[in-house]
Amino acid sequence: MEAQRPLGILDSGVGGLSVLRHVRAELPHENLLYYADQAHVPYGPRPAAEIRAFTETITHFLLEQGAKLIIVACNVASAAALTHLRATFPETPFVGMEPAVKPGAAVTRSGKVGVLATLGTLSSQRYQDLMARYAQGVQVMADPCPGLVELIEAGRVDTPETERLLRSRLEPMLAAGVDTLILGCTHYPFVIPLIQRVAGPGVTIIDPAPAVARQTRRVLAEGDLWTTSAAPGRLRLYTSGDPGRLADLAGRFLPDLPQPLLISQKCFT
């Protein structure tokens, strides 16, 4: 049956696991397929055409595995490829990511907001459109945090090196009066405890992943794609990189995932 098919989630690496955990909490009975394109991480510095090619190939693969909906759990991939994917696969519902500029502008008390996102997201037309629509009257300071994705992919989420990087990027924002930080990369929620340590309790941190999980629920409802199963959903992970590395990071970042994890290597030429 159509509704019993799994949801597909794709990302350049392990960042999309921060979305997967909220999708599992919101939709506990849905089966999930997750693809980490770790052979090509990070996507941020790559040309948009290359990202479109990667995500199109991964989408083909997830659809071959039966996916009924695709979550593009990567901000830079959403910015570069979401419109292309919707045009290429018109029968498939897609849910994408974008920096939460609107809620950030709504909650700031100082009128100063920081955005942490990769260069690919910050330089995209999608981001510029968000700024034009929702950031009027708000001062936004954005930083690409070069090297942070690579540290997280290496599992170094609470190390002196990662803290030094975050301090170098956050302290100018904090000194300027920023009281709200928007996480515009799905890798970054895994360093929220470190960001909180650097920024202090007076700064609001916005992770868009819960909103993406709620949007996925709405899209499933609109398409009558709910699973009718009452059993906990199954999870399978794929990677274009090292399955052992993905298993290690997934187990560390999301210790409540079912064990042992079902992880397969699937590479594309």
Side-chain angles (χ1 to χ4, degrees):
M1 292 176 58
E2 179 82 3
Q4 304 307 105
R5 293 162 55 196
L7 308 180
I9 305 174
L10 68 87
D11 181 49
S12 62
V14 298
L17 294 174
S18 69
V19 177
L20 181 146
R21 64 181 171 188
H22 289 286
V23 172
R24 289 185 75 234
E26 186 78 21
L27 300 161
H29 305 298
E30 295 288 346
N31 297 322
L32 302 178
L33 306 173
Y34 182 88
Y35 191 97
D37 192 12
Q38 292 177 292
H40 300 122
V41 69
Y43 277 1
R46 294 183 179 274
E50 191 173 33
I51 296 169
R52 286 192 290 270
F54 291 155
T55 55
E56 181 177 339
T57 299
I58 295 167
T59 297
H60 272 296
F61 171 72
L62 292 173
L63 293 176
E64 288 170 359
Q65 307 311 304
K68 62 186 175 184
L69 174 149
I70 304 290
I71 302 170
V72 183
C74 172
N75 283 267
V76 68
S78 294
L82 190 58
T83 299
H84 170 75
L85 293 173
R86 284 172 170 156
T88 305
F89 305 95
E91 302 302 314
T92 301
F94 285 87
V95 176
M97 304 288 303
E98 62 184 25
V101 174
K102 183 179 180 180
V107 303
T108 179
R109 303 175 305 280
S110 67
K112 298 177 180 180
V113 174
V115 177
L116 306 181
T118 64
L119 186 60
T121 297
L122 296 176
S123 61
S124 69
Q125 187 60 50
R126 192 179 185 92
Y127 177 73
Q128 299 307 317
D129 291 344
L130 282 172
M131 293 292 293
R133 288 202 306 272
Y134 301 123
Q136 300 303 312
V138 176
Q139 182 180 344
V140 177
M141 298 179 65
D143 196 291
C145 295
L148 185 55
V149 167
E150 291 89 338
L151 286 170
I152 294 168
E153 283 285 329
R156 300 203 290 270
V157 296
D158 190 8
T159 65
E161 180 184 8
T162 305
E163 182 169 349
R164 283 194 298 271
L165 187 154
L166 282 169
R167 284 192 182 278
S168 71
R169 299 295 168 172
L170 292 175
E171 286 178 348
M173 294 184 181
L174 299 172
V178 161
D179 69 350
T180 303
L181 291 170
I182 297 167
L183 304 185
C185 173
T186 55
H187 282 77
Y188 296 174
F190 292 122
V191 292
I192 283 178
L194 197 49
I195 293 173
Q196 289 174 324
R197 187 188 311 165
V198 173
V203 174
T204 300
I205 301 170
I206 300 180
D207 173 9
V212 171
R214 293 191 295 271
Q215 176 63 10
T216 302
R217 171 184 281 275
R218 286 191 288 269
V219 173
L220 290 175
E222 290 167 1
D224 195 22
L225 293 173
W226 292 107
T227 182
T228 57
S229 173
R234 299 184 303 276
L235 171 64
R236 184 163 195 115
L237 284 72
Y238 299 90
T239 180
S240 57
D242 177 5
R245 186 64 182 154
L246 178 57
D248 175 62
L249 291 172
R252 290 171 59 189
F253 291 168
L254 301 181
D256 64 332
L257 290 179
Q259 299 291 336
L261 293 171
L262 298 174
I263 301 180
S264 300
Q265 185 179 50
K266 180 62 179 178
C267 303
F268 304 104
T269 58

